[in-house]
Amino acid sequence: MKSTKPVLRALAGEALPVPPVWIMRQAGRYLPEYRATREKAGDFLSLCYNSDFATEVTLQPIRRFDFDASIIFADILLIPHALGADLSFVEGEGPRLSAITGKSDFDTLKGADDIHETLAPVYQTMRNLSSELPKKCALIGFAGAPWTVATYMIAGKGTPDQGPARKFKTEQRAAFQQLMDLLTEATINYLNAQISAGAEIVKLFDTWAGCLTGQDFEDFAVRPVAKIISGIREKHPEIPVIAFPREAGMGYVDFHEKTGANCVAVDHFATPNWAAQNVQPGGCVQGNLDPVHMVDGGADLVSQTKKVVSAFSNGPHIFNLGHGITPDANPKNVHLMIDTIRGN
Ligand code: CP3
C-alpha cells in the first residue's frame, strides 16, 4: 500500500501542493521544554542514552509545531563512542574526544559489529517513537557520514576548517582509509539496527563535505555514502535515504546521481532556483531556508519562505532549513514559517 505520510510521498518522487516540513535540530536549546529535560538528564550524553528522556525531547517539537517528520534524538558522535572512543560534551564548547595522530590511536577501537551494546538505548528510543508518533509523522533515523565523523575523531573536537583531518588524510592515506572503512561498516550496522527498530527513513549528515575538493569529494564523500546506502538496502531494499553533503556547491548534482540517495538536503548557500534546476531533476530535494530567519523573523522570513516553496514547487520537495536551527532562535518564528508554508 502506498504511504499517506507526506514526507514518504515526497521521497517517492511526488510533487505535493504543500510541501511537508521539519527542521534540523528541531529538538534543541531554543525550546524551553528541551532545556528543562536536558537539565533533568544532567549532561548531553545522558540525555542521548536515556530512552525516556530522548523520546520526550524528540516528541516536544512535534507537539508544539505539528511537523511532518520526527528525527530521533541522538548524535552523530555516538558511533565513535560505541566503538570505544572517549567522548564528552563540554558546555558551550562542543564535543571532545582524544585526537587521532596515527593508526595506533584507533587500533584499540572495537570492531564494527561490536557497537550495539552501547547503542541499545537508541534502538529503544526508536521503538518508543514508532508507537507514539502521530499518524502522519514520519520517523527519521540518522548517522554522520564517515568523513564528518572522522574529522571530529582526528581533531578531537570541532575545528573551523577541518585542518587536522585534511592533513591526516593527505599524510597518512592508508591509516585514514582504514578509519573510513571502519566507520562505513559501523554506520551500516547502526542504521540497519535503527531501521529494524522502526526508522522509516534514514538521513546521513556530511556536515563537512564542503571542504573536500576534486577527487577527494568523490572518494570520501560520494563513495562511502554510496556504500552505506547499498549496505542498508541489502537488508532493507525500500528504505528511503536523505543525504546532506553540506556546502557541496556544484557537487550536489553529482552526489545526487552517484550515491543512490532518494533525496539530497541542500544548504542555504545554494540558491533555491539553482537547486531546483540542477539538483531536483535527480529526485527529491530537502531545504533550504537560511536558519537566520528563525532568529530574525518578520517580513523577510515570510518572503524567503515563499521563495523556497515556489522555487521547488514543480518537483518533489521537503521543506527544511539549510542547516540546524540555532539556540538563539525564537519558536514564534518557526510557527510563522510553518503557517506561511501551509497557507494558514
Ligand atoms: O533534532 C535533531 O536534529 C536530532 C538530534 C541531533 C543532534 N545532533 C542533537 C544535538 C542531530 C541530527 C545531530 C547531528 C549532529 N551532531 C551533526 C550533524 C548536523 C549538523 O548540525 O551539522 C554534528 C556535526 C554533530 C556533532 C555535534 N553535536 C556538535 C558539533 C555539537 C556541539 C555544537 C552545539 O550545537 O552545541 C553537538 C551537540 C548537540 N547535538 C546538541 C544537540 C541538540 C546541543 C547540545 C546541548 O543540548 O547542549
Short mmCIF file of all heavy atoms in Angstrom, two decimals, residues 22-29 34 38 44 47-48 71-77 89 91-95 142 144 148 152 158 205-208 244 246 323-324 327, ligand 1:
data_model
loop_
_atom_site.label_atom_id
_atom_site.label_comp_id
_atom_site.label_asym_id
_atom_site.label_seq_id
_atom_site.Cartn_x
_atom_site.Cartn_y
_atom_site.Cartn_z
N TRP A 22 9.91 19.73 8.23
CA TRP A 22 10.52 19.51 9.54
C TRP A 22 11.80 20.33 9.55
O TRP A 22 12.15 20.88 8.49
CB TRP A 22 10.78 18.01 9.83
CG TRP A 22 11.84 17.36 8.98
CD1 TRP A 22 11.70 16.92 7.69
CD2 TRP A 22 13.21 17.07 9.35
NE1 TRP A 22 12.89 16.38 7.23
CE2 TRP A 22 13.82 16.46 8.23
CE3 TRP A 22 13.97 17.28 10.52
CZ2 TRP A 22 15.16 16.04 8.25
CZ3 TRP A 22 15.29 16.85 10.53
CH2 TRP A 22 15.87 16.24 9.40
N ILE A 23 12.46 20.47 10.68
CA ILE A 23 13.72 21.24 10.66
C ILE A 23 14.85 20.53 11.41
O ILE A 23 14.61 19.83 12.39
CB ILE A 23 13.55 22.68 11.20
CG1 ILE A 23 13.09 22.72 12.65
CG2 ILE A 23 12.62 23.50 10.31
CD1 ILE A 23 12.94 24.13 13.20
N MET A 24 16.05 20.71 10.89
CA MET A 24 17.22 20.12 11.53
C MET A 24 17.41 20.73 12.91
O MET A 24 17.26 21.93 13.07
CB MET A 24 18.46 20.36 10.67
CG MET A 24 18.48 19.49 9.42
SD MET A 24 20.03 19.70 8.52
CE MET A 24 19.50 20.81 7.24
N ARG A 25 17.80 19.88 13.87
CA ARG A 25 17.94 20.27 15.29
C ARG A 25 16.62 20.77 15.87
O ARG A 25 16.62 21.67 16.71
CB ARG A 25 19.02 21.34 15.46
CG ARG A 25 20.43 20.87 15.23
CD ARG A 25 21.04 20.30 16.52
NE ARG A 25 22.31 19.65 16.23
CZ ARG A 25 23.49 20.17 16.49
NH1 ARG A 25 23.57 21.33 17.07
NH2 ARG A 25 24.58 19.52 16.19
N GLN A 26 15.50 20.17 15.40
CA GLN A 26 14.21 20.67 15.88
C GLN A 26 14.03 20.44 17.39
O GLN A 26 13.30 21.19 18.04
CB GLN A 26 13.05 20.10 15.07
CG GLN A 26 12.90 18.59 15.04
CD GLN A 26 11.90 18.14 13.96
OE1 GLN A 26 11.62 18.85 13.01
NE2 GLN A 26 11.36 16.94 14.09
N ALA A 27 14.68 19.40 17.92
CA ALA A 27 14.72 19.24 19.38
C ALA A 27 16.02 19.89 19.82
O ALA A 27 17.10 19.38 19.54
CB ALA A 27 14.72 17.77 19.75
N GLY A 28 15.95 21.03 20.49
CA GLY A 28 17.21 21.70 20.83
C GLY A 28 17.00 22.85 21.79
O GLY A 28 15.89 23.10 22.27
N ARG A 29 18.09 23.54 22.03
CA ARG A 29 18.12 24.53 23.12
C ARG A 29 17.22 25.74 22.93
O ARG A 29 16.99 26.50 23.86
CB ARG A 29 19.56 24.98 23.35
CG ARG A 29 20.39 23.94 24.06
CD ARG A 29 21.86 24.19 23.89
NE ARG A 29 22.24 24.00 22.50
CZ ARG A 29 23.48 24.08 22.04
NH1 ARG A 29 24.46 24.39 22.84
NH2 ARG A 29 23.73 23.88 20.76
N TYR A 34 12.91 21.64 26.03
CA TYR A 34 14.14 20.86 25.82
C TYR A 34 15.13 21.17 26.94
O TYR A 34 15.71 20.26 27.55
CB TYR A 34 14.78 21.19 24.46
CG TYR A 34 16.17 20.58 24.31
CD1 TYR A 34 16.35 19.28 23.85
CD2 TYR A 34 17.32 21.31 24.65
CE1 TYR A 34 17.62 18.72 23.75
CE2 TYR A 34 18.59 20.76 24.56
CZ TYR A 34 18.73 19.46 24.09
OH TYR A 34 19.98 18.90 24.00
N ARG A 38 16.74 18.47 29.47
CA ARG A 38 18.20 18.35 29.43
C ARG A 38 18.79 18.55 30.83
O ARG A 38 19.70 17.83 31.24
CB ARG A 38 18.72 19.41 28.45
CG ARG A 38 20.17 19.75 28.51
CD ARG A 38 20.93 19.05 27.40
NE ARG A 38 22.15 19.73 27.06
CZ ARG A 38 23.18 19.86 27.90
NH1 ARG A 38 23.11 19.40 29.13
NH2 ARG A 38 24.27 20.48 27.49
N PHE A 44 24.66 16.06 28.25
CA PHE A 44 24.10 15.77 26.94
C PHE A 44 24.09 14.28 26.60
O PHE A 44 23.11 13.74 26.08
CB PHE A 44 24.87 16.58 25.88
CG PHE A 44 24.45 16.29 24.48
CD1 PHE A 44 23.21 16.70 24.01
CD2 PHE A 44 25.28 15.57 23.63
CE1 PHE A 44 22.81 16.42 22.71
CE2 PHE A 44 24.89 15.29 22.33
CZ PHE A 44 23.66 15.71 21.87
N LEU A 47 21.39 12.38 28.22
CA LEU A 47 20.12 12.61 27.53
C LEU A 47 19.99 11.67 26.32
O LEU A 47 18.95 11.04 26.11
CB LEU A 47 20.05 14.08 27.10
CG LEU A 47 18.83 14.57 26.33
CD1 LEU A 47 17.54 14.28 27.07
CD2 LEU A 47 18.94 16.08 26.08
N CYS A 48 21.07 11.54 25.56
CA CYS A 48 21.04 10.65 24.38
C CYS A 48 20.79 9.19 24.77
O CYS A 48 20.13 8.46 24.05
CB CYS A 48 22.35 10.71 23.61
SG CYS A 48 22.68 12.30 22.83
N ILE A 71 12.84 13.45 13.88
CA ILE A 71 14.17 12.84 13.81
C ILE A 71 14.57 12.41 15.21
O ILE A 71 14.45 13.19 16.16
CB ILE A 71 15.21 13.79 13.16
CG1 ILE A 71 16.56 13.09 13.00
CG2 ILE A 71 15.34 15.11 13.90
CD1 ILE A 71 17.49 13.74 11.97
N ILE A 72 14.96 11.17 15.35
CA ILE A 72 15.30 10.64 16.67
C ILE A 72 16.37 11.49 17.33
O ILE A 72 17.30 11.94 16.67
CB ILE A 72 15.75 9.16 16.59
CG1 ILE A 72 15.94 8.58 17.99
CG2 ILE A 72 17.02 9.01 15.75
CD1 ILE A 72 16.21 7.08 17.99
N PHE A 73 16.24 11.71 18.62
CA PHE A 73 17.25 12.50 19.34
C PHE A 73 18.43 11.61 19.68
O PHE A 73 18.32 10.62 20.41
CB PHE A 73 16.68 13.11 20.62
CG PHE A 73 17.63 14.11 21.18
CD1 PHE A 73 17.62 15.41 20.72
CD2 PHE A 73 18.58 13.75 22.11
CE1 PHE A 73 18.54 16.35 21.18
CE2 PHE A 73 19.50 14.68 22.59
CZ PHE A 73 19.47 15.97 22.12
N ALA A 74 19.58 11.96 19.12
CA ALA A 74 20.83 11.22 19.34
C ALA A 74 21.94 12.14 18.84
O ALA A 74 21.72 13.35 18.71
CB ALA A 74 20.82 9.90 18.60
N ASP A 75 23.12 11.62 18.53
CA ASP A 75 24.17 12.46 17.97
C ASP A 75 25.05 11.64 17.04
O ASP A 75 25.20 10.44 17.23
CB ASP A 75 25.02 13.09 19.07
CG ASP A 75 25.83 14.26 18.54
OD1 ASP A 75 25.28 15.37 18.46
OD2 ASP A 75 26.99 14.06 18.14
N ILE A 76 25.63 12.30 16.05
CA ILE A 76 26.49 11.58 15.11
C ILE A 76 27.74 11.01 15.79
O ILE A 76 28.35 10.09 15.28
CB ILE A 76 26.93 12.45 13.90
CG1 ILE A 76 27.81 13.61 14.34
CG2 ILE A 76 25.72 12.95 13.11
CD1 ILE A 76 28.57 14.25 13.17
N LEU A 77 28.11 11.55 16.95
CA LEU A 77 29.33 11.08 17.61
C LEU A 77 29.10 9.88 18.52
O LEU A 77 30.03 9.40 19.17
CB LEU A 77 30.01 12.24 18.35
CG LEU A 77 30.43 13.37 17.41
CD1 LEU A 77 31.03 14.53 18.18
CD2 LEU A 77 31.43 12.87 16.36
N PHE A 89 30.93 16.10 26.10
CA PHE A 89 30.48 17.37 25.55
C PHE A 89 30.72 18.45 26.60
O PHE A 89 30.24 18.35 27.72
CB PHE A 89 28.99 17.31 25.17
CG PHE A 89 28.76 16.60 23.87
CD1 PHE A 89 28.70 15.21 23.82
CD2 PHE A 89 28.64 17.30 22.68
CE1 PHE A 89 28.50 14.54 22.61
CE2 PHE A 89 28.44 16.65 21.48
CZ PHE A 89 28.37 15.28 21.44
N GLU A 91 30.19 22.02 28.04
CA GLU A 91 29.17 23.07 27.99
C GLU A 91 29.67 24.30 27.24
O GLU A 91 30.72 24.85 27.56
CB GLU A 91 28.82 23.43 29.45
CG GLU A 91 27.50 24.15 29.63
CD GLU A 91 26.29 23.28 29.29
OE1 GLU A 91 26.18 22.17 29.83
OE2 GLU A 91 25.47 23.73 28.48
N GLY A 92 28.94 24.69 26.22
CA GLY A 92 29.29 25.91 25.48
C GLY A 92 30.44 25.74 24.51
O GLY A 92 30.80 26.67 23.78
N GLU A 93 31.07 24.57 24.47
CA GLU A 93 32.23 24.40 23.57
C GLU A 93 32.05 23.28 22.56
O GLU A 93 32.69 23.27 21.52
CB GLU A 93 33.49 24.11 24.39
CG GLU A 93 34.00 25.33 25.13
CD GLU A 93 35.26 25.00 25.91
OE1 GLU A 93 36.07 24.19 25.45
OE2 GLU A 93 35.40 25.56 27.02
N GLY A 94 31.22 22.29 22.89
CA GLY A 94 31.00 21.19 21.94
C GLY A 94 31.75 19.94 22.32
O GLY A 94 32.21 19.79 23.45
N PRO A 95 31.87 19.00 21.34
CA PRO A 95 32.41 17.68 21.65
C PRO A 95 33.92 17.65 21.89
O PRO A 95 34.65 18.43 21.29
CB PRO A 95 32.06 16.87 20.40
CG PRO A 95 31.85 17.86 19.31
CD PRO A 95 31.45 19.15 19.95
N PHE A 142 19.19 8.44 11.89
CA PHE A 142 20.32 9.12 11.23
C PHE A 142 21.67 8.63 11.73
O PHE A 142 21.78 7.97 12.76
CB PHE A 142 20.23 10.64 11.40
CG PHE A 142 20.59 11.12 12.80
CD1 PHE A 142 21.91 11.46 13.11
CD2 PHE A 142 19.63 11.23 13.77
CE1 PHE A 142 22.25 11.91 14.39
CE2 PHE A 142 19.95 11.68 15.05
CZ PHE A 142 21.26 12.02 15.35
N GLY A 144 26.11 10.13 11.17
CA GLY A 144 27.02 11.01 10.46
C GLY A 144 27.64 10.25 9.30
O GLY A 144 27.78 9.02 9.36
N THR A 148 32.68 13.20 7.97
CA THR A 148 32.38 14.17 9.03
C THR A 148 32.69 13.59 10.40
O THR A 148 33.28 14.27 11.25
CB THR A 148 30.91 14.63 8.90
OG1 THR A 148 30.83 15.49 7.77
CG2 THR A 148 30.44 15.39 10.14
N TYR A 152 35.93 14.87 13.40
CA TYR A 152 35.89 15.10 14.85
C TYR A 152 36.82 14.14 15.59
O TYR A 152 37.46 14.50 16.57
CB TYR A 152 34.45 14.94 15.38
CG TYR A 152 33.55 16.08 14.96
CD1 TYR A 152 32.70 15.97 13.86
CD2 TYR A 152 33.56 17.29 15.66
CE1 TYR A 152 31.88 17.02 13.46
CE2 TYR A 152 32.74 18.35 15.26
CZ TYR A 152 31.91 18.20 14.16
OH TYR A 152 31.12 19.25 13.77
N GLY A 158 35.58 19.97 17.38
CA GLY A 158 35.21 20.70 16.18
C GLY A 158 36.29 21.72 15.84
O GLY A 158 36.91 22.28 16.74
N PHE A 205 24.35 12.71 7.64
CA PHE A 205 24.83 14.08 7.77
C PHE A 205 26.31 14.15 7.39
O PHE A 205 27.15 13.62 8.11
CB PHE A 205 24.69 14.56 9.21
CG PHE A 205 23.27 14.85 9.62
CD1 PHE A 205 22.47 13.88 10.19
CD2 PHE A 205 22.73 16.12 9.45
CE1 PHE A 205 21.16 14.16 10.58
CE2 PHE A 205 21.43 16.41 9.84
CZ PHE A 205 20.64 15.43 10.40
N ASP A 206 26.61 14.80 6.28
CA ASP A 206 28.03 15.04 5.95
C ASP A 206 28.29 16.54 6.03
O ASP A 206 28.50 17.23 5.02
CB ASP A 206 28.38 14.47 4.57
CG ASP A 206 29.83 13.99 4.51
OD1 ASP A 206 30.58 14.27 5.48
OD2 ASP A 206 30.21 13.33 3.53
N THR A 207 28.28 17.01 7.27
CA THR A 207 28.35 18.44 7.56
C THR A 207 29.60 19.11 6.96
O THR A 207 29.57 20.27 6.57
CB THR A 207 28.33 18.63 9.09
OG1 THR A 207 27.15 18.00 9.57
CG2 THR A 207 28.34 20.08 9.48
N TRP A 208 30.69 18.34 6.86
CA TRP A 208 31.96 18.93 6.38
C TRP A 208 32.34 18.46 4.98
O TRP A 208 33.51 18.58 4.59
CB TRP A 208 33.07 18.67 7.41
CG TRP A 208 32.71 19.29 8.71
CD1 TRP A 208 32.35 18.64 9.86
CD2 TRP A 208 32.59 20.70 9.00
NE1 TRP A 208 32.03 19.55 10.84
CE2 TRP A 208 32.17 20.82 10.34
CE3 TRP A 208 32.81 21.86 8.25
CZ2 TRP A 208 31.95 22.06 10.94
CZ3 TRP A 208 32.60 23.09 8.85
CH2 TRP A 208 32.17 23.18 10.18
N PHE A 244 22.98 14.64 3.22
CA PHE A 244 23.24 16.08 3.36
C PHE A 244 24.73 16.37 3.26
O PHE A 244 25.43 16.42 4.27
CB PHE A 244 22.68 16.54 4.72
CG PHE A 244 22.85 18.01 5.03
CD1 PHE A 244 22.68 18.99 4.06
CD2 PHE A 244 23.16 18.42 6.33
CE1 PHE A 244 22.83 20.34 4.38
CE2 PHE A 244 23.29 19.76 6.65
CZ PHE A 244 23.13 20.73 5.67
N ARG A 246 26.80 18.97 3.16
CA ARG A 246 26.69 20.41 3.35
C ARG A 246 27.79 21.18 2.61
O ARG A 246 28.94 20.77 2.61
CB ARG A 246 26.73 20.75 4.84
CG ARG A 246 26.32 22.18 5.15
CD ARG A 246 26.27 22.39 6.65
NE ARG A 246 27.59 22.32 7.22
CZ ARG A 246 28.29 23.39 7.63
NH1 ARG A 246 27.77 24.59 7.56
NH2 ARG A 246 29.49 23.23 8.14
N HIS A 323 20.52 24.52 7.43
CA HIS A 323 21.32 23.87 8.47
C HIS A 323 20.49 23.91 9.75
O HIS A 323 19.35 24.38 9.72
CB HIS A 323 22.68 24.59 8.63
CG HIS A 323 23.71 23.76 9.36
ND1 HIS A 323 24.89 24.27 9.83
CD2 HIS A 323 23.73 22.45 9.71
CE1 HIS A 323 25.59 23.30 10.42
NE2 HIS A 323 24.91 22.19 10.36
N GLY A 324 21.04 23.44 10.87
CA GLY A 324 20.24 23.33 12.09
C GLY A 324 19.78 24.67 12.65
O GLY A 324 20.46 25.69 12.51
N PRO A 327 20.43 27.96 18.89
CA PRO A 327 19.84 28.13 20.23
C PRO A 327 19.19 29.50 20.44
O PRO A 327 18.29 29.63 21.27
CB PRO A 327 21.06 27.99 21.16
CG PRO A 327 22.03 27.16 20.40
CD PRO A 327 21.85 27.53 18.96
O1 CP3 B 1 16.75 17.43 16.37
C1 CP3 B 1 17.66 16.86 15.71
O2 CP3 B 1 18.11 17.32 14.64
C2 CP3 B 1 18.14 15.49 16.17
C3 CP3 B 1 19.28 15.47 17.00
C4 CP3 B 1 20.68 15.82 16.51
C5 CP3 B 1 21.67 16.37 17.36
N1 CP3 B 1 22.84 16.40 16.69
C6 CP3 B 1 21.44 16.79 18.74
C7 CP3 B 1 22.38 17.73 19.35
C8 CP3 B 1 21.28 15.59 15.26
C9 CP3 B 1 20.66 15.09 13.97
C10 CP3 B 1 22.66 15.95 15.40
C11 CP3 B 1 23.64 15.80 14.32
C12 CP3 B 1 25.00 16.30 14.51
N2 CP3 B 1 25.77 16.27 15.66
C13 CP3 B 1 25.79 16.85 13.47
C14 CP3 B 1 25.39 16.95 12.01
C15 CP3 B 1 24.42 18.02 11.74
C16 CP3 B 1 24.95 19.42 11.91
O3 CP3 B 1 24.37 20.13 12.75
O4 CP3 B 1 25.86 19.81 11.18
C17 CP3 B 1 27.04 17.21 14.03
C18 CP3 B 1 28.21 17.83 13.30
C19 CP3 B 1 27.01 16.82 15.40
C20 CP3 B 1 28.11 16.93 16.40
C21 CP3 B 1 27.76 17.85 17.50
N3 CP3 B 1 26.78 17.60 18.44
C22 CP3 B 1 28.33 19.11 17.76
C23 CP3 B 1 29.42 19.75 16.95
C24 CP3 B 1 27.68 19.60 18.90
C25 CP3 B 1 28.01 20.87 19.64
C26 CP3 B 1 27.52 22.07 18.94
C27 CP3 B 1 26.30 22.58 19.62
O5 CP3 B 1 25.32 22.90 18.93
O6 CP3 B 1 26.36 22.72 20.86
C28 CP3 B 1 26.69 18.67 19.28
C29 CP3 B 1 25.74 18.79 20.41
C30 CP3 B 1 24.30 18.61 20.13
N4 CP3 B 1 23.75 17.61 19.37
C31 CP3 B 1 23.23 19.43 20.64
C32 CP3 B 1 22.03 18.87 20.16
C33 CP3 B 1 20.63 19.32 20.46
C34 CP3 B 1 23.38 20.59 21.59
C35 CP3 B 1 23.83 20.06 22.91
C36 CP3 B 1 23.15 20.54 24.13
O7 CP3 B 1 21.93 20.37 24.34
O8 CP3 B 1 23.89 21.04 24.97
#
